Amino acid sequence: MWRSAGDGPAVHAPNHPEQRQDSFSPDSRQAWIRLVVALLIGSIGSVGMWAVVVVIPVVQAEFAATRGAVSLAFTLMMFGFGLGGVIAGKITDRFGIVPAMAISIGFLGVANTLAGLSIQLWQFVAAYFLIGLGTSATFAPLMAEASHWFERYRGLAVTIVASGNYVAGTIWPPLVNAGMETIGWRYTHVAIALICATLMTTLVLVLRARMGDDKVRNHANAPPPRVDLKLSTNTLTALLSIASISCCVAMAMPQVHIVAYCGDLGYGVARGAEMLSLMMACGIVSRIGSGYLADKIGGIRTLLLGSLAQGFALVFYLFFDSLTSLYLISAMFGLFQGGIVPSYAIIVREAMPASEAATRVGIVIFASVFGMSFGGWVSGIIFDATGSYAAAFANGVAWNALNVGIVLTLLIRSRMNSVRSGPTLAT
């Protein structure tokens, strides 16, 4: 069923472990040190995902453009983020995480500088596409790499790394805003380029030293997949991608439109921004908690629970719109949805060969990015057509139901094959 895990160089097990001076053990103190460094890299490298949101109003005024035209920078940044995840994942599987991160740093440094030097809007938008490409290595490939460092706590490790972009969403917006007020948005981008180049290079060198001979490894000694779904890797990747798109279309409705929704209800956009911040903060708790849960019950069950809970929260948005209830529902939504996307990376590591992990995770994450982009757009279209967000929330519930159906099918297949094949393939 599974391809040989030793077809070419990648990132998991040493060719000659007996020749290594310092043998690495999964779940060891060394693994946790690597994990902390990886989290710091992700928290710094994800700056572009949040800087663009902060600078949109001033850039719009600078170029006398429409809000939609400037927002294209965010759309292309997300597209670059998704596409880059596949490319960086392939590089990671072939050459290791360090070269992938080196390329990421180069893109972030050059692209942020170009954004600051932009004299026309299209140049600013193009620069953010490059920023998205650079940011990509700090998410899916880094999650896949961290999964190789752990066995007992693999799910927890993956979700901790995935929390890097949520941590970035907490620390970077006020810093970018302060930079705009003091030195302007152009010099702020140049400063971001210098910070990314300096701090990320230092951290990647630390990670490289900690990994030693593990920088590029052969997967011949990697543990086999834990779960056999009796599906080819391509089929499973396609199913996970569809599931990822559907759950993220649902996820995008509150995340993208909660601020506008509060404005329409008369509560003001400031209240909506507070709800979004609360949602992201609860998402950090959810991500780490879901990783702990995945280590206990497996990635598929964790994903199913998260998807069911997300749909449950979306239904509440349909029936309650008071200010207090929206705060509570937004917090609940954050607690439910934060662990969904990292669960896909955990499933990939449980059900596919280690030699393909970064590439396959990158593909599924690309699908999730498409789902977020499409979900945000289609929710706006539905609002324009109906004059209300009620139908948009109902649309999210429907997409979420599709996700639940796919994940439930995978769970049933895993249980059936576990019974047939014995306890070694159980989740």
Side-chain angles (χ1 to χ4, degrees):
M1 164 58 67
W2 303 108
R3 268 192 334 161
S4 172
D7 295 336
V11 292
H12 193 66
N15 284 321
H16 302 289
E18 69 277 6
Q19 295 178 2
R20 294 181 55 192
Q21 294 179 350
D22 300 310
S23 179
F24 173 76
S25 299
D27 302 291
S28 63
R29 178 175 177 271
Q30 183 67 258
W32 288 103
I33 293 175
R34 293 183 188 182
L35 188 66
V36 170
V37 176
L39 175 61
L40 292 174
I41 292 172
S43 301
I44 296 169
S46 297
V47 55
M49 301 183 70
W50 307 100
V52 64
V53 177
V54 178
V55 304
I56 279 178
V58 294
V59 172
Q60 179 184 359
E62 173 99 8
F63 293 113
T66 64
R67 179 62 55 88
V70 180
S71 298
L72 187 60
F74 176 81
T75 301
L76 286 187
M77 184 276 297
M78 292 299 290
F79 179 74
F81 177 75
L83 178 63
V86 180
I87 299 171
K90 194 69 175 177
I91 293 172
T92 301
D93 282 334
R94 179 70 176 173
F95 302 105
I97 190 64
V98 173
M101 293 306 309
I103 296 173
S104 170
I105 293 170
F107 268 90
L108 288 173
V110 172
N112 275 287
T113 301
L114 291 175
L117 297 176
S118 301
I119 59 175
Q120 295 184 40
L121 181 58
W122 71 265
Q123 296 171 340
F124 178 82
V125 171
Y128 260 93
F129 172 71
L130 298 178
I131 289 173
L133 288 174
T135 304
S136 63
T138 67
F139 194 64
L142 206 55
M143 280 196 294
E145 179 63 25
S147 73
H148 298 316
W149 305 336
F150 294 83
E151 292 180 3
R152 182 180 178 185
Y153 299 108
R154 179 181 292 162
L156 181 60
V158 167
T159 52
I160 287 176
V161 171
S163 298
N165 65 352
Y166 278 14
V167 174
T170 303
I171 63 176
W172 276 112
L175 293 176
V176 173
N177 185 65
M180 287 196 310
E181 293 177 349
T182 54
I183 60 177
W185 69 269
R186 294 183 179 276
Y187 285 113
T188 296
H189 277 88
V190 175
I192 290 173
L194 293 174
I195 291 171
C196 287
T198 302
L199 295 183
M200 290 181 69
T201 297
T202 301
L203 289 168
V204 170
L205 289 175
V206 172
L207 181 62
R208 183 180 186 275
R210 288 290 177 180
M211 294 180 70
D213 293 337
D214 288 342
K215 292 188 299 299
V216 180
R217 293 172 283 175
N218 188 291
H219 288 289
N221 296 329
R226 298 177 182 176
V227 181
D228 188 354
L229 299 171
K230 300 300 181 183
L231 296 170
S232 69
T233 52
N234 287 335
T235 300
L236 180 55
T237 301
L239 286 173
L240 291 176
S241 295
I242 296 171
S244 182
I245 290 172
S246 58
C247 77
C248 288
V249 170
M251 191 183 298
M253 175 54 231
Q255 288 191 5
V256 176
H257 291 275
I258 189 66
V259 177
Y261 184 44
C262 286
D264 293 341
L265 292 173
Y267 302 134
V269 296
R271 295 292 190 181
E274 291 173 357
M275 291 179 197
L276 181 61
S277 178
L278 177 63
M279 193 184 297
M280 294 298 100
C282 291
I284 297 175
V285 177
S286 173
R287 286 205 161 170
I288 296 176
S290 67
Y292 178 82
L293 183 64
D295 287 326
K296 301 295 183 181
I297 66 174
I300 296 177
R301 290 183 176 89
T302 302
L303 176 58
L304 180 60
L305 288 175
S307 297
L308 287 170
Q310 175 176 269
F312 181 74
L314 281 171
V315 170
F316 271 82
Y317 278 114
L318 286 169
F319 297 102
F320 301 95
D321 61 3
S322 69
L323 184 61
T324 300
S325 64
L326 286 177
Y327 272 108
L328 292 174
I329 297 169
S330 295
M332 180 172 64
F333 187 83
L335 285 173
F336 290 163
Q337 61 84 27
I340 290 178
V341 173
S343 293
Y344 292 108
I346 296 170
I347 294 171
V348 168
R349 282 295 284 118
E350 289 177 342
M352 298 187 192
S355 59
E356 301 180 27
T359 302
R360 300 289 177 172
V361 171
I363 292 172
V364 176
I365 296 302
F366 188 16
S368 73
V369 170
F370 174 81
M372 286 293 295
S373 300
F374 175 74
W377 174 78
V378 77
S379 295
I381 294 297
I382 293 173
F383 174 82
D384 290 337
T386 64
S388 168
Y389 275 118
F393 279 117
N395 177 68
V397 172
W399 280 93
N400 198 86
L402 173 59
N403 172 269
V404 170
I406 294 173
V407 179
L408 186 60
T409 299
L410 293 178
L411 178 61
I412 292 172
R413 290 186 68 90
S414 71
R415 291 178 62 86
M416 289 175 59
N417 291 316
S418 173
V419 171
R420 293 171 184 170
S421 304
T424 57
L425 292 175
T427 58

